[in-house]
Each structure stands twice: as structure tokens, then as C-alpha cells.
Amino acid sequence: MSNKTLAILKPDCIRKNLIGEVILKITEAGFEIKGLKMVKLTEASAKGFYEIHKNKPFFNDLIKYMTSGPCVPIVLEKENAVEEFRKLIGATDPAKAAEGTIRKLYATSIQENIIHGSDSDENAQKEINHFFSRKELLDINGF
Ligand code: CMP
């Protein structure tokens, strides 16, 4: 069980001016922020990040959406971070997300679902490495 996960505030979250509100939900739930930046994904970077979905019918639209504006990747720490964070954000489809979850509160569609959370400890580490260099995290936090 790892204590880190990667969140991404997606372009719709930034367009709706919800960065502050969503981060407040995350910190109120007991997550500590260990890394945070605003980036605009290139097509190549988005395709690399979502490689696992490359054969899905929604892949091209997903890449268009994720490169449509800036997003905010955040390294979070909490005990059992991956599972706890996925509970906080709710199901991929906001229509199916539990009451009080971030997607239920703010997301509008299965694609424009405001926020990403890693789905396993292994992917969390890979995804953190996608956005943050070892040196950046070492300089900031000593890890
Ligand atoms: P996430 O689970 O963070 O990562 C994969 C993303 O693909 C998902 O959020 C949605 O943004 C998008 N996605 C997943 N399933 C679908 C779908 N059926 N139709 C459109 N987009 C989807």
C-alpha cells in the first residue's frame, strides 16, 4: 500500500475556475500536496500518458480534450492514497458518482469529468514521473 497518488485537474476544471474549490475538497479530505504545477499537455505527452486507452473508441476525443487547455497535475500524500482519492473523486461517469464526490459536484460528462486519480500504486508512480522529475520532488520534499 503506497501513500502517494497523482491527481490532474483537467482543462474543464481550469476553464470553470474551479481550481481553488477542488483543491479545498482535496485538502479537507486529509491529503497533503507534495507537488503541483500548471502545464499544457502536448499531443505526444497526452498520448503517452493515456497509452493504456489507445485502442478505445474515445481515445482521439480524450487527447483533444486533455490538450484543449492547461491542466494541473498534483502529487498527493495520504495513507492508502490511491483508494482514498478514488473514493473522494467518485466514478468516472459523474451520473454514476456517489453524492458528495468531486465528480458528482462539478463534472458534466464521462469525458469532461474534472479530475483524474491514479488507479493503482504502480500507475501512481508512473504518472507522477510523467509530470515531475525526480530532482523536482527531491528538491521540494526530499523524496
Ligand atoms: P480518467 O479515468 O481520469 O482517465 C481516462 C479518461 O478517459 C476518463 O477519465 C475520461 O475523461 C475519459 N473517458 C473514459 N471513459 C470514457 C467514455 N466512455 N467516453 C468518453 N470519455 C471517456
Side-chain angles (χ1 to χ4, degrees), residues 21-113:
E21 224 166 301
V22 171
I23 288 181
L24 187 61
K25 293 269 172 214
I26 294 171
T27 51
E28 278 176 350
F31 290 87
E32 277 182 48
I33 295 174
K34 296 291 180 179
L36 183 153
K37 57 173 76 162
M38 184 179 263
V39 296
K40 185 149 187 294
L41 282 171
T42 62
E43 196 178 311
S45 178
K47 283 182 171 168
F49 187 85
Y50 285 112
E51 165 99 48
I52 194 170
H53 295 306
K54 69 172 187 257
N55 295 320
K56 302 270 173 60
F58 57 82
F59 183 69
N60 287 342
D61 286 341
L62 174 61
I63 301 306
K64 257 190 230 154
Y65 158 54
M66 289 303 292
T67 57
S68 67
C71 57
V72 176
I74 310 174
V75 180
L76 295 171
E77 191 170 274
K78 188 185 182 181
E79 203 177 310
N80 198 17
V82 165
E83 204 182 316
E84 288 295 305
F85 193 67
R86 287 177 75 83
K87 264 192 238 157
L88 178 68
I89 67 179
T92 306
D93 182 353
K96 294 181 184 148
E99 287 302 324
T101 60
I102 289 174
R103 283 171 171 159
K104 182 72 176 184
L105 286 167
Y106 304 115
T108 51
S109 75
I110 192 165
Q111 177 173 273
E112 303 231 339
N113 63 0

